[in-house]
Amino acid sequence: MNDHPTSARAKGSVSTRSVFGAPCWVSLTSRDLDATQEFYGAVLGWEWRRGALGDHFRTALVGKVPVAGVAAVASMWQMAVAWTPYFAVPSADDAASRARERGGTVAVGPISLPPGRAALLADRDGATFGIWEGELIGNWEAWRQAAPAFIRLHTRDAFDSAIFYGEILDWATDRPGCCEVRYEAGEVVLRSRGDVVARIESGALEAAPDPTIRPHWQVHFAVADVAACARAAEKHGGSVLVESADEAVLRDPDGAQFTVTSRRER
């Protein structure tokens, strides 16, 4: 489980009860903390501070805004090296139970990580995601602007996945403040407070030998220069899987996949 920059006493902190169903954090499990910091520092310009959970954890910063968590626990906890989005929930236990009832898997948790609770899950098609119950960072809106441009689920059937996540995370319900779900331009689009926060697209293959084709959540980071990030990734032991003028899919030295994009619209 990755570090989360929460503080129960943070001034102006936001509770997951008020932004339930929306992505609220992204985190990376890695094997080598020093190598991970060097790679993402070179590629994305991130700075680092020690995480609240101990020596194996770090929080990535853009300026002074926390944007992501890193946990060097992949080998120790026998977890996959991967970027994972976390969704805000009022109750991690309730959300985990709903996931099980609907054919999902609970890999870790829910466990207490004061000031909240977290769990790592997988949906029916095997895509991994997390849930977080509790306080978010003090200036959560700043995180929304400085962190991922958006997250996208590549899955077998976008409609089926939207139903699965909707029933777990209370999307498109009659609860005030819930996330809105619409079908636009061939994909499912998730909005929170009017902003696009996630997209779901069909076409992934469950048994594909290539992990980029299997169902998975892809984290997209907004950058000023896509080509420069791609060259930095290659120089520091990573690889470029796909590259265009405004977007590139990269893989870090541990194998975790992510996207850099110059697109500011979500």
Side-chain angles (χ1 to χ4, degrees), residues 61-238:
L61 308 173
V62 171
K64 295 183 179 180
V65 179
V67 296
V70 174
V73 296
S75 299
M76 181 170 54
W77 292 354
Q78 297 184 336
M79 296 173 67
V81 172
W83 278 102
T84 303
Y86 281 74
F87 293 85
V89 295
S91 169
D93 293 284
D94 288 349
S97 294
R98 291 180 189 178
R100 288 193 190 95
E101 291 168 358
R102 289 157 180 79
T105 303
V106 178
V108 179
I111 59 175
S112 294
L113 294 173
R117 290 174 62 75
L120 189 65
L121 315 177
D123 65 22
R124 286 190 288 246
D125 293 318
T128 301
F129 66 102
I131 52 176
W132 172 258
E133 168 200 345
E135 299 297 319
L136 304 177
I137 57 178
N139 192 347
W140 187 67
E141 291 300 334
W143 176 84
R144 285 173 65 122
Q145 297 302 318
F150 56 87
I151 58 173
R152 185 188 299 272
L153 176 62
H154 301 269
T155 190
R156 176 183 53 81
D157 185 317
F159 286 104
D160 183 68
S161 290
I163 292 171
F164 173 85
Y165 285 94
E167 291 179 341
I168 293 171
L169 302 173
D170 282 329
W171 292 351
T173 63
D174 57 1
R175 290 188 59 191
C178 72
C179 292
E180 299 176 357
V181 179
R182 294 182 182 176
Y183 185 71
E184 301 176 10
E187 60 186 11
V188 175
V189 179
L190 180 71
R191 284 183 170 83
S192 175
R193 300 180 176 180
D195 294 330
V196 175
V197 293
R199 297 176 184 270
I200 303 176
E201 67 176 23
S202 300
L205 304 175
E206 290 178 83
D210 184 348
T212 65
I213 300 175
R214 292 199 296 267
H216 68 282
W217 280 99
Q218 186 81 353
V219 179
H220 295 240
F221 293 104
V223 299
D225 190 330
V226 169
C229 290
R231 303 293 78 76
E234 292 174 323
K235 182 178 179 180
H236 290 82

Side-chain angles (χ1 to χ4, degrees), residues 6-16 18 135-140:
T6 52
S7 171
R9 297 179 177 86
K11 183 179 180 180
S13 61
V14 177
S15 167
T16 55
S18 64
E135 299 297 319
L136 304 177
I137 57 178
N139 192 347
W140 187 67

